[in-house]
Amino acid sequence: MNTQTHPQLGELGQVEANLLARLDNIPITRGIWTIIGLVTMVWIIEAFDIGMIGSALVFLKQTWPLTSAQTGMLGSAGTFGIVIGLLPAGWLADRYGRKKVLLVGVTVFSAFTYFGVFTTNINQLAVLRFVAGLGEGAVFTAPYLIIAEFVNKKRRGEAVGWANFLLTAAYVLPNAAGVWTMHRGFSAALSWHILFSIGGALIIIVPVLWLWLPESPRFLLKRGKVDEVRRMIERFEDEARLPHDTALTNADTLSAIQAAADRRWGFRDLLRQPYLKRAFVSYCALGSPLALFYAMLVYGPTIFAQMGFGSSNSLLYVGCLQVVSGFGTILASFCSDRFGRPKTHATFMFIAAVCLVLVGLQLPTPFMIAAAVMAWFFGLGGFAMSKLYMSEQFPTQLRATGAATGEVVTRFLLGVVMVYYIPALLKVLHAQGLFMIFGLAMALLVLPLLLVGIETAGRSVEETGKDGILS
């Protein structure tokens, strides 16, 4: 690390630069692992809440005579809520803190999921899923931001990878719960009520987060809470048995702080260079795995059932593929830290695209299963790194806003518009045709990253988010 002192900066700027350099010098200690564990628990709970709609639809279709339009409405209502919830969530997280937004979001989506137990028709349930989605939207970017702003630059990708491995594996939980209700012989009506009850009960995580999850040190520094950050970093240094080096400074981080010191940041900065190009590239990179993610999350069991699998087997198959993609996340995280984000993500997406095309060719069942496993391993395995990469494009004052805007754009186009039309497309193209279209879309969306994406691996988030174009 390039370390030196810079007396030309004001005292407060010098202290901030020192604290950030020390934070980036700290390995992942017990305290930092605790923080990662807490936000991972939030991910797992949110994954159950989002993912259960796919399993619930299997039972709801047996309870209420749903049309394709009603199925599409219920499948997209939660995602539409997420999109709307994300609109203010980024700004609120940049203004009031990552932790506060996280707490409010978990409370909202858990409570309104539980209220779904008492609905008597599909319209009521769709409204509650929309409101729950508002809370999920508030939560979406916070865990990535918190991990990126706590973990050192050398292991940032690895930390997100392990956390996202558990997140990805957690999407098997609603499928497993659905299979469990089937095997217990519960009625379709009782089965979907059980899923919603479990989702609501998970609100118990809120007091745990309130007591033990700290606010992001980088956010606190921008609010002038230097002493609070100093105490936090000294505690981590004590855990790692590192000295409290008040002279340590990273020159590149210091330069980024100096460049942003007197600037006011807002949404309009996303429409100016270099952030406009960075936003476009990173949003496309996120959209590549997101297309596969949403299609399989909401309609995966239905699509595989159309391909000849039974309802129970389809739920298990989709759940197992989610677990497989978790292992892909681990590989992607290690590769992105060592070989770079753009090359790793583009490679993963291209392999997944080819495999999806193979799934659509109606190969013999063993080959089709192998191609599907590879598509999920590489396709959804690259999901976490695309979200981390997006958060690395912007300065601390704009990071949540930039990441939330990316979530809004990609999830509206893919999680609302695409999800709504999938039932109709299934009737025309059938499952095989859809897989081929998904493969082509994934390949096209990752091209901007490969061609003009900047490298962020091994750099502090202050460096990656500054105005200067990185090589």
Side-chain angles (χ1 to χ4, degrees):
M1 176 180 290
N2 186 359
T3 62
Q4 52 188 315
T5 58
H6 289 257
Q8 71 269 23
L9 271 185
E11 181 180 354
L12 186 60
Q14 184 69 56
V15 170
E16 180 180 347
N18 167 251
L19 290 173
L20 290 176
R22 288 162 63 184
L23 181 61
D24 252 340
N25 195 46
I26 297 172
I28 304 181
T29 65
R30 181 181 67 255
I32 295 176
W33 274 121
T34 299
I35 293 166
I36 296 171
L38 287 172
V39 297
T40 301
M41 285 301 300
V42 173
W43 266 338
I44 291 172
I45 291 171
E46 188 180 44
F48 185 91
D49 199 271
I50 296 173
M52 73 176 183
I53 193 61
S55 298
L57 276 172
V58 173
F59 304 119
L60 286 166
K61 288 177 180 179
Q62 301 173 41
T63 307
W64 296 326
L66 302 182
T67 65
S68 294
Q70 288 175 320
T71 302
M73 177 183 68
L74 187 58
S76 60
T79 304
F80 187 55
I82 289 172
V83 170
I84 301 300
L86 275 163
L87 288 172
W91 180 82
L92 290 170
D94 280 334
R95 185 175 180 85
Y96 298 108
R98 286 62 162 126
K99 179 179 177 178
K100 290 185 177 69
V101 172
L102 189 71
L103 289 171
V104 172
V106 174
T107 301
V108 169
F109 78 68
S110 299
F112 281 88
T113 293
Y114 182 70
F115 296 157
V117 172
F118 305 102
T119 57
T120 58
N121 60 64
I122 193 67
N123 293 327
Q124 293 174 357
L125 191 58
V127 169
L128 290 178
R129 290 311 298 160
F130 169 77
V131 179
L134 295 176
E136 290 163 352
V139 170
F140 252 80
T141 59
Y144 285 98
L145 296 175
I146 290 170
I147 293 176
E149 293 177 348
F150 267 101
V151 179
N152 68 74
K153 59 187 179 183
K154 293 182 179 179
R155 299 187 64 187
R156 193 164 61 233
E158 179 186 344
V160 169
W162 280 109
N164 205 82
F165 166 72
L166 295 175
L167 164 66
T168 305
Y171 279 103
V172 76
L173 295 178
N175 290 323
V179 172
W180 174 76
T181 61
M182 287 181 179
H183 288 174
R184 293 288 296 178
F186 297 138
S187 67
L190 180 58
S191 293
W192 75 260
H193 279 89
I194 289 173
L195 293 177
F196 276 76
S197 298
I198 294 172
L202 296 175
I203 198 173
I204 59 174
I205 190 68
V206 171
V208 177
L209 297 172
W210 178 266
L211 291 172
W212 288 296
L213 180 67
E215 181 55 89
S216 161
R218 286 176 159 94
F219 171 82
L220 291 174
L221 284 174
K222 298 307 178 185
R223 292 297 176 268
K225 298 183 178 181
V226 174
D227 291 338
E228 184 176 345
V229 175
R230 180 184 290 110
R231 289 192 297 270
M232 185 190 305
I233 290 175
E234 287 177 353
R235 185 173 70 251
F236 293 149
E237 287 175 330
D238 290 342
E239 291 176 351
R241 297 182 180 180
L242 293 175
H244 303 164
D245 187 352
T246 57
L248 183 66
T249 303
N250 180 291
D252 293 324
T253 299
L254 189 60
S255 173
I257 294 172
Q258 189 176 27
D262 299 322
R263 181 170 175 178
R264 298 187 66 180
W265 298 89
F267 180 80
R268 286 179 294 182
D269 288 289
L270 294 178
L271 304 178
R272 301 169 181 154
Q273 297 296 357
Y275 299 112
L276 180 61
K277 184 178 81 169
R278 294 186 191 181
F280 174 76
V281 170
S282 61
Y283 296 174
C284 286
L286 175 61
S288 186
L290 200 62
L292 175 62
F293 171 79
Y294 263 117
M296 293 301 103
L297 177 67
V298 179
Y299 296 113
T302 301
I303 292 173
F304 282 112
Q306 189 184 95
M307 297 177 74
F309 297 89
S311 295
S312 179
N313 288 336
S314 295
L315 286 171
L316 280 175
Y317 191 35
V318 173
C320 290
L321 288 174
Q322 293 288 353
V323 175
V324 166
S325 67
F327 290 101
T329 297
I330 295 175
L331 179 61
S333 68
F334 279 93
C335 290
S336 70
D337 275 345
R338 287 154 180 77
F339 306 115
R341 311 271 197 256
K343 291 180 181 178
T344 297
H345 190 62
T347 300
F348 271 54
M349 293 305 103
F350 284 134
I351 293 174
V354 171
C355 291
L356 283 177
V357 171
L358 292 177
V359 172
L361 292 179
Q362 292 186 297
L363 300 172
T365 299
F367 294 101
M368 184 183 70
I369 292 176
V373 168
M374 293 288 286
W376 262 253
F377 181 90
F378 288 101
L380 297 189
F383 197 10
M385 289 305 101
S386 65
K387 299 191 77 170
L388 175 61
Y389 183 77
M390 182 171 64
S391 72
E392 293 170 331
Q393 304 301 306
F394 311 103
T396 298
Q397 302 93 323
L398 191 64
R399 188 166 298 123
T401 300
T405 302
E407 296 278 6
V408 169
V409 172
T410 55
R411 290 181 187 277
F412 176 75
L413 293 176
L414 301 172
V416 177
V417 177
M418 183 191 75
V419 164
Y420 181 82
Y421 284 107
I422 281 179
L425 290 173
L426 266 174
K427 289 185 176 181
V428 177
L429 301 174
H430 304 292
Q432 290 77 12
L434 273 182
F435 278 122
M436 298 184 77
I437 289 178
F438 290 148
L440 179 62
M442 290 180 72
L444 291 175
L445 284 169
V446 83
L447 282 177
L449 174 67
L450 186 63
L451 297 175
V452 296
I454 62 172
E455 184 56 76
T456 58
R459 292 184 167 106
S460 72
V461 289
E462 283 73 35
E463 295 173 68
T464 64
K466 69 180 181 180
D467 279 355
I469 301 299
L470 301 171
S471 59

